[in-house]
Amino acid sequence: MLKRLMLSCLAMVSTGTAFAALPQVQSDLAALGRGSSWTPAGQITLAFETHHPQGMLKIGDRYFMSSVEIQERPEKYQQPQGGMDRSPGKGRAHLFQFDQNGKLLRDIVLAEGEGDIYHPGGIDTDGKYIYVPVAEYRPNSRSVLYRIEIKTGKVEEVLRYNDHLGGVVIDPVGGKLHMVSWGSRRWYSWDLNGAGLPITATARMQANPLSYIDYQDCHHMEGELALCSGVAYMGGHPSGESIGLGGLEVVNFNEGRVVAGFPVPLWDPVKTDGVTRAMATNPFTVWKADKGLRFAFAPHDGQTVVYLYDVK
């Protein structure tokens, strides 16, 4: 069933030229599943402090990564205050640009002067702009969506919304903007005008039909489809560790359904606070390579390593 769905739907993945047609991507993606072979294809050690990475893209020979610099971590309230379950904390939102050697080329700080809004989410591109949502670091809060012109780095505000929007998908074919809430439990959609901006401030909201992974990062694919990566951390394991189950889901946001899903059986070799993280914990991106699809994951914070895998 998975192969039939994938073969009928998938034909493109974000590449150096965004949304360019990619030969044989249907069969490459259709082959993904529990029996897929994930072969290490190198790694990039980033030569700068990355803080807490959230979203990632590869455009040509450059990478872009959103990240939150946490200056004061939010603390849970004993009782909700003003509809919030935790304090706002403090921080800064970054969009980093780096090369294939891990050298930092540009650091764009977003949402300066926006007070409690400082937490960027997953990112996407329409080929001209990179779209980055920045929200308060707590659920049911507020967000601002920005788009950054790739060539110039110019920042433009797209919209504001009263919810924590933690990821974005741009569908330039259907003229749609999709965003997901904290934990991706709610999906929001807007129609776009010819300038790529929302026609109205009102969004169409629908519930995520599944309650498996929380999407960390999503990218537009062909037509109405997006590929989302994320993780679900489960407590109660006899080892005492919180076990992270990483996965990928193909989503049709217009129809409000998950087309296909499969696990990512990879683990960060660097423990975080004594816990082994799933490779899909933080951002990902994917493109067509000589040996099929190449995925990039950045699972840990601080001095981040981007791990590359070829998948058959």
Side-chain angles (χ1 to χ4, degrees):
M1 181 64 175
L2 170 61
K3 289 189 176 183
R4 186 166 69 251
L5 285 168
M6 300 288 280
L7 282 167
S8 65
C9 296
L10 305 178
M12 301 168 80
V13 177
S14 176
T15 63
T17 302
F19 314 126
L22 298 174
Q24 299 179 337
V25 168
Q26 295 119 311
S27 57
D28 287 329
L29 284 170
L32 285 172
R34 294 185 67 174
S36 297
S37 174
W38 295 79
T39 304
Q43 61 186 53
I44 304 169
T45 300
L46 303 189
F48 57 96
E49 168 65 51
T50 61
H51 307 295
H52 181 25
Q54 300 294 307
M56 185 164 56
L57 289 168
K58 182 176 184 289
I59 301 175
D61 60 355
R62 297 290 186 262
Y63 290 82
F64 296 83
M65 175 185 286
S66 62
S67 181
V68 56
E69 176 187 349
I70 302 171
Q71 299 168 337
E72 178 185 306
R73 189 168 293 278
E75 299 291 340
K76 279 286 191 79
Y77 295 134
Q78 290 186 347
Q79 298 292 334
Q81 299 182 20
M84 299 295 165
D85 69 346
R86 67 197 71 189
S87 65
K90 294 180 181 179
R92 291 204 305 170
H94 296 266
L95 179 66
F96 299 123
Q97 180 183 346
F98 58 95
D99 65 17
Q100 297 182 93
N101 297 315
K103 178 183 177 182
L104 180 65
L105 304 176
R106 184 186 288 173
D107 177 4
I108 299 173
V109 177
L110 301 170
E112 288 190 290
E114 292 291 344
D116 296 339
I117 295 176
Y118 63 86
H119 188 292
I123 64 179
D124 202 13
T125 181
D126 62 5
K128 181 179 180 181
Y129 298 98
I130 294 171
Y131 292 75
V132 185
V134 186
E136 294 186 30
Y137 199 173
R138 50 188 180 176
N140 309 311
S141 54
R142 301 174 300 138
S143 304
V144 182
L145 175 64
Y146 298 96
R147 67 180 186 183
I148 298 89
E149 190 170 28
I150 296 170
K151 288 185 178 180
T152 66
K154 180 182 177 181
V155 179
E156 178 183 1
E157 181 179 316
V158 176
L159 63 80
R160 291 173 179 260
Y161 205 76
N162 287 327
D163 199 354
H164 176 107
L165 300 179
V168 60
V169 171
I170 296 294
D171 172 7
V173 178
K176 302 285 187 181
L177 162 68
H178 305 293
M179 303 185 75
V180 300
S181 71
W182 182 282
S184 62
R185 296 305 97 205
R186 294 182 294 275
W187 298 347
Y188 296 98
S189 299
W190 291 261
D191 292 321
L192 301 177
N193 61 23
L197 298 173
I199 294 174
T200 68
T202 303
R204 179 173 65 91
M205 191 273 284
Q206 53 194 334
N208 185 340
L210 299 183
S211 56
Y212 170 38
I213 61 172
D214 295 344
Y215 302 155
Q216 176 64 42
D217 203 7
C218 294
H219 304 302
H220 173 260
M221 296 174 64
E222 182 187 19
E224 298 180 339
L225 298 181
L227 184 63
C228 296
S229 172
V231 66
Y233 276 90
M234 311 268 182
H237 192 271
S239 69
E241 282 197 9
S242 180
I243 306 300
L245 305 175
L248 293 163
E249 290 183 352
V250 180
V251 182
N252 186 320
F253 286 105
N254 288 335
E255 296 182 359
R257 66 189 181 96
V258 176
V259 176
F262 32 85
V264 177
L266 304 172
W267 308 94
D268 185 359
V270 178
K271 284 194 172 186
T272 300
D273 298 327
V275 175
T276 299
R277 285 185 167 188
M279 189 63 74
T281 296
N282 280 345
F284 91 109
T285 191
V286 59
W287 62 94
K288 179 70 178 178
D290 294 339
K291 297 180 180 180
L293 294 180
R294 177 161 292 177
F295 282 79
F297 297 97
H300 62 262
D301 303 343
Q303 297 299 315
T304 296
V305 176
V306 176
Y307 298 97
L308 307 177
Y309 289 87
D310 288 330
V311 185
K312 290 187 178 180

